[in-house]
Amino acid sequence: MAWDMDPAFAQVQEDRPSNTANLSAEGVPIIDLGPLFSSNSDDSTALSKIVDQIGKGCKEWGFFQVINHGMPIELRNEVKKVAAKFFSQSVEEKRKIRRDEDNAMGYFDAENTRNVRDWKEVFDFLVVNPSEIPAEYDGEQVTRTITMGNRWPENLPEMRKACEEYAKATEKLAIKLLELISLSLGLSATCLNGFFKNQTSFIRLNYYPPCPCPDVALGVGRHKDAGALTVLAQDEVGGLEVRGKDGKWVAVKPVLDSYIINVGDIVQVWSNDAYESAEHRVVVNSKRERFSVPFFYNPSHYEFIKPLEELLSKDNPPKYSGYNWGYLFTSRKLSNFKKMTVENLQVHHFKAFP
């Protein structure tokens, strides 16, 4: 296809989309959470089965899908409705609440992933508003913080209400999912909850317009999620691809009303690599627009992330030296705004060496 757009969107040759991706990631498990919400929710056999399935998905893919998850479909539909209204506005109107380096919440249309511009527009909002993140870090502790706060469009008052209601419901699902992941690691269900006392979680509304060169650009370039857990609602168009253990890209086929769950770098570190945060990307097409809504479940900015003591042993020593979550979060956010002269900060930079 002829190139007919800003070269800032052009992926390097090895990262460009291809026609070699499988039709669907058949190995990514689809897990029915219905038994957790039934009258027999105390059924230990059903719980054990779900935990085993989640553990397998985390270990083999870093991804799984859930159905019968208890999330009201009406909330999801309302968010998609207001998102479509918001993104259909003029660029000038949307940029009235444009995010910046001082406050990373709001609208943005020039995000970079691995220093290449993504073919998308986004709107970000905090689950807990306002939230603090580090502005300065001396290598041992945060020495200064800044406050982020939500920005809402004045001409769409219904957008704030829909998004805040959706956030409350999705947070409950994220908590439940993290507890199930904790159980799958052989830990207590609530072992990880304390890390989220002053969470820095946020929700993103993604809009991917039709792209004239879908064989060269990506909606989101290949990356791994830095947080603990991502709870994704994608529409029927699809576009999410996951890199399998064999290095091949596979498409995650949309399942009606399901949520796609992936563990982030934090769970990889906590589990000492028992679970791996999988690389993924979003492809676009030339005919259809796409909407998606990821919930990024993130801990408090002051938490120090390292392998959990309960999972370590003489034969399984810590594989990471640990890091301050807020420092990494801030660094990754800043790299979204502009091209960096060095590689974006990644979890592998904190690998422990003998």
Side-chain angles (χ1 to χ4, degrees):
M1 183 178 291
W3 182 252
D4 187 27
M5 55 195 250
D6 188 338
F9 293 101
Q11 295 286 328
V12 296
Q13 192 65 43
E14 60 266 28
D15 287 341
R16 292 184 180 183
S18 69
N19 295 322
T20 59
N22 295 335
L23 290 178
S24 62
E26 300 292 349
V28 175
I30 299 174
I31 302 170
D32 185 354
L33 299 184
L36 300 181
F37 304 100
S38 72
S39 57
N40 296 320
S41 58
D42 59 347
D43 184 345
S44 60
T45 302
L47 174 61
S48 179
K49 180 180 178 181
I50 290 171
V51 168
D52 287 345
Q53 289 176 318
I54 286 177
K56 183 178 180 181
C58 291
K59 190 173 184 65
E60 296 182 357
W61 286 94
F63 272 77
F64 57 92
Q65 294 194 67
V66 294
I67 58 175
N68 297 323
H69 38 66
M71 278 284 291
I73 190 61
E74 297 81 9
L75 295 180
R76 180 166 165 170
N77 290 340
E78 188 60 28
V79 167
K80 182 179 178 181
K81 180 179 176 182
V82 296
K85 284 184 179 180
F86 174 75
F87 289 116
S88 68
Q89 297 179 113
S90 67
V91 173
E92 293 74 21
E93 190 66 34
K94 288 180 285 192
R95 286 182 177 172
K96 289 180 180 179
I97 53 171
R98 190 177 189 269
R99 75 189 201 195
D100 52 49
E101 291 188 31
D102 294 323
N103 183 5
M105 295 299 115
Y107 171 77
F108 201 56
D109 58 356
E111 187 163 275
N112 294 287
T113 300
R114 292 185 179 270
N115 289 328
V116 179
R117 189 170 171 183
D118 296 327
W119 186 262
K120 67 178 179 185
E121 299 175 35
V122 304
F123 174 83
D124 291 346
F125 66 96
L126 293 162
V127 174
V128 177
N129 181 55
S131 290
E132 280 191 310
I133 61 169
E136 295 177 2
Y137 182 73
D138 66 6
E140 294 184 358
Q141 61 183 358
V142 175
T143 56
R144 184 171 69 87
T145 63
I146 57 176
T147 301
M148 295 191 301
N150 289 335
R151 297 179 169 113
W152 300 103
E154 293 183 359
N155 62 336
L156 284 175
E158 66 270 29
M159 184 173 177
R160 177 174 183 174
K161 182 176 183 294
C163 288
E164 289 181 342
E165 289 182 355
Y166 181 82
K168 290 178 183 178
T170 314
E171 180 186 9
K172 292 179 181 178
L173 177 58
I175 292 171
K176 173 59 69 176
L177 289 166
L178 193 65
E179 290 178 347
L180 293 169
I181 289 171
S182 183
L183 288 171
S184 75
L185 287 167
L187 304 169
S188 68
T190 59
C191 177
L192 304 173
N193 291 357
F195 288 94
F196 299 84
K197 183 178 180 181
N198 296 300
Q199 60 180 293
T200 52
S201 306
F202 70 98
I203 292 179
R204 167 167 291 179
L205 308 183
N206 280 317
Y207 171 59
Y208 304 94
C211 178
C213 299
D215 54 341
V216 178
L218 286 168
V220 183
R222 63 182 181 89
H223 68 286
K224 296 184 177 185
D225 290 350
L229 195 68
T230 303
V231 181
L232 173 71
Q234 71 166 343
D235 64 14
E236 71 283 355
V237 177
L240 175 67
E241 293 186 349
V242 180
R243 192 192 288 274
K245 296 285 188 181
D246 59 1
K248 295 180 180 179
W249 289 102
V250 292
V252 181
K253 183 179 179 181
V255 175
L256 182 65
D257 298 339
S258 71
Y259 280 88
I260 299 170
I261 316 300
N262 65 280
V263 296
D265 290 342
I266 289 176
V267 168
Q268 177 170 328
V269 173
W270 278 340
S271 71
N272 207 35
D273 284 351
Y275 295 163
E276 184 177 354
S277 173
E279 201 167 43
H280 51 288
R281 67 184 185 183
V282 175
V283 298
V284 288
N285 61 66
S286 60
K287 298 179 180 179
R288 300 189 68 181
E289 63 182 8
R290 174 181 184 261
F291 293 93
S292 71
V293 186
F295 175 109
F296 299 102
Y297 194 37
N298 298 331
S300 312
H301 76 83
Y302 48 75
E303 292 291 354
F304 192 77
I305 307 302
K306 62 180 182 178
L308 297 169
E309 292 290 341
E310 299 93 325
L311 300 178
L312 301 179
S313 66
K314 183 179 179 180
D315 296 327
N316 185 33
K319 298 177 181 178
Y320 297 88
S321 58
Y323 57 92
N324 169 262
W325 159 246
Y327 166 65
L328 187 141
F329 178 76
T330 302
S331 174
R332 291 283 288 264
K333 278 291 185 185
L334 287 176
S335 71
N336 291 338
F337 287 96
K338 55 190 176 185
K339 288 193 174 184
M340 311 292 282
T341 57
V342 295
E343 181 186 9
N344 296 350
L345 194 61
Q346 305 289 333
V347 71
H348 66 73
H349 291 132
F350 301 98
K351 276 280 189 178
F353 297 97

